[in-house]
Amino acid sequence: MANSIVLPKIMQVGGGALALLPDTLDALKCKSACIISDKTMLQLGLVDKVKALLTPYSVNVGVFSDVMPEPNDTSLKAAVELVRAGKFDCLVALGGGSAIDSAKAIALLVSHQGEMRDYKVPRIITEHSIPVIAIPTTAGTGSEATKVTVITDSLSDEKMLCMGPGLMPAAAIIDYQLTLSLPPRVAADTGLDALTHAIEAYVSRKANLFSDQQAIAAMKLIAPNLQSACLEADNLKAKEAMMMGASLAGIAFSNASVALVHGMSRPLGVHFHVPHGMSNAMLLPLITEYSIPHAPERYAQCAMHMGLVNNLDNLSSAHEALIRELKRLNQTLDVPSLSAFGIEQKRYHSLLETMAEQALASGSPANNPRVPSIPDMVALYQSAWT
């Protein structure tokens, strides 16, 4: 079976890679850049740092710093107007997944009009838009190397999954030094998101030889370094490994798709504002346990690639080691249960079927080794409460 592999045209990787931003714009023949970022990046001085790099090179540099966490379609409108008015020929996305996802959507709307709901799955986005240069500041989403963006519909509260080669950033600048100031909570949530990407890409029904290699490499980098990268501020080797692992995990799931964890995670963000990586972590042990019987060898191989077992002589032991490690990471990195997060129980249970329907509509559950029904997902949401 043939697989279509999509990657950024340019990837600048390693400590200090940010300095290569002007060279990257030159290679893309771009001269007028608008930075898409958020208030945190502005306060940390990173927006000014990027602007200083661009100013000697670009004819015009713009800044939109109002990206919202878990962006919705309404939040994009001011940026779309700014980019159109300034006639910018590229976007520089600086920040975590929200900034990069927003930039992908902004580039699409600037270039092709319409509303984001016009572009959601099952439509595949093939249209070329103005280039996006993605500069991640978290080791987590992998959005700098994916053909995916997730934008919430402000009318329906649906987290719309939009996908296609037209959303792939033209370039990615992957500089782990930009993650050094991450608070431990953010590092944990984004790191657990990356681990989820790698595991789900590997067990996905759409996995292929190419995506497998990226997922395996990602697991080997992430698993032994995640805890240290979150809890040891001066562990640069762990932080570098996490940054590379997150990008490889992004490449893996972009070319194999995520599965049930992500499908069920998105509604938790919409309805209860649980950070995306945290909601993935909350669900990962439970859904892994649910799914193992339908892909026992794959999940055992995940345990081996994560360094939890030395061989596959005993699949059950590998499965136990995997579940035990996922639960241990959640405990060590202070991932709360849904009840401990502070969600009101009555409202949560009133939305179980709605969330299950929204998860199914995203298409991700269909990629899971064990494809769930609506009642299955309702039962999983119930189990995830405590």
Side-chain angles (χ1 to χ4, degrees):
M1 179 178 174
N3 298 103
S4 179
I5 305 301
V6 185
L7 298 167
K9 294 178 183 176
I10 300 169
M11 296 183 75
Q12 312 281 19
V13 180
L18 180 62
L20 299 175
L21 177 58
D23 294 342
T24 304
L25 262 67
D26 187 49
L28 295 172
K29 297 182 169 48
C30 295
K31 293 294 291 181
S32 181
C34 185
I35 301 167
I36 306 296
S37 194
D38 57 41
K39 288 289 187 278
T40 300
M41 295 297 105
L42 194 65
Q43 291 165 2
L44 290 173
L46 288 177
V47 170
D48 287 340
K49 185 174 183 178
V50 169
K51 189 174 181 181
L53 281 170
L54 290 171
T55 300
Y57 174 80
S58 295
V59 173
N60 184 26
V61 179
V63 174
F64 177 82
S65 59
D66 289 326
V67 165
M68 64 180 285
E70 312 289 339
N72 65 25
D73 49 358
T74 302
S75 72
L76 306 176
K77 291 183 178 179
V80 170
E81 292 172 4
L82 173 67
V83 175
R84 283 179 180 155
K87 298 181 179 179
F88 297 104
D89 61 10
C90 69
L91 304 180
V92 175
L94 175 70
S98 295
I100 299 173
D101 276 8
S102 292
K104 293 176 183 180
I106 292 162
L108 179 68
L109 296 176
V110 165
S111 303
H112 303 289
Q113 312 292 327
E115 301 286 342
M116 283 309 296
R117 65 181 63 90
D118 301 330
Y119 296 100
K120 69 179 182 178
V121 167
R123 176 169 178 178
I124 301 299
I125 299 166
T126 57
E127 296 92 335
H128 291 288
S129 301
I130 61 172
V132 172
I133 298 93
I135 308 175
T137 59
T138 64
T141 69
S143 188
E144 69 277 2
T146 76
K147 56 183 179 183
V148 176
T149 188
V150 179
I151 304 294
T152 299
D153 188 325
S154 57
L155 297 179
S156 66
D157 278 342
E158 174 192 356
K159 270 202 169 187
M160 298 179 290
L161 178 65
C162 304
M163 183 181 295
L167 290 175
M168 179 62 69
I173 295 179
I174 303 165
D175 186 342
Y176 77 92
Q177 292 178 356
L178 298 176
T179 71
L180 299 185
S181 60
L182 276 183
R185 177 74 268 148
V186 176
D189 291 346
T190 55
L192 289 163
D193 189 21
L195 180 60
T196 307
H197 291 154
I199 292 173
E200 288 213 293
Y202 194 69
V203 302
S204 169
R205 288 173 174 262
K206 293 183 178 178
N208 55 74
L209 285 173
F210 179 86
S211 65
D212 280 354
Q213 300 314 305
Q214 316 311 310
I216 290 168
M219 284 186 274
K220 287 181 175 180
L221 286 169
I222 294 168
N225 290 292
L226 174 54
Q227 182 174 318
S228 297
C230 294
L231 303 181
E232 301 169 17
D234 59 349
N235 194 329
L236 301 187
K237 287 187 177 180
K239 291 179 184 294
E240 183 174 18
M242 279 301 302
M243 192 65 156
M244 193 69 256
S247 292
L248 289 170
I251 292 170
F253 90 77
S254 184
N255 290 285
S257 294
V258 286
L260 182 56
V261 176
H262 273 75
M264 289 182 60
S265 170
R266 295 184 193 108
L268 295 174
V270 170
H271 297 288
F272 304 107
H273 307 293
V274 184
H276 175 67
M278 181 183 287
S279 60
N280 278 342
M282 290 171 169
L283 295 171
L284 183 58
L286 174 68
I287 290 176
T288 298
E289 202 161 13
Y290 166 84
S291 304
I292 278 173
H294 288 244
E297 290 189 359
R298 281 263 153 171
Y299 280 106
Q301 288 163 6
C302 287
M304 187 174 70
H305 296 315
M306 290 170 63
L308 306 178
V309 295
N310 294 323
N311 56 61
L312 300 178
D313 292 344
N314 189 322
L315 295 188
S316 294
S317 294
H319 299 154
E320 290 169 7
L322 177 60
I323 298 299
R324 187 167 55 248
E325 177 65 3
L326 297 179
K327 290 179 178 179
R328 187 198 68 79
L329 282 171
N330 280 2
Q331 184 176 19
T332 303
L333 298 177
D334 294 325
V335 176
S337 65
L338 285 163
S339 57
F341 185 76
I343 295 170
E344 199 272 312
Q345 187 174 11
K346 185 176 180 181
R347 181 165 179 260
Y348 178 77
H349 282 89
S350 73
L351 286 168
L352 293 180
E353 190 156 342
T354 297
M355 292 193 294
E357 290 169 351
Q358 290 175 338
L360 186 65
S362 74
S364 298
N367 303 323
N368 205 58
R370 183 177 181 181
V371 179
S373 64
I374 293 288
D376 288 338
M377 286 188 281
V378 168
L380 286 166
Y381 275 129
Q382 289 173 328
S383 297
W385 172 252
T386 53

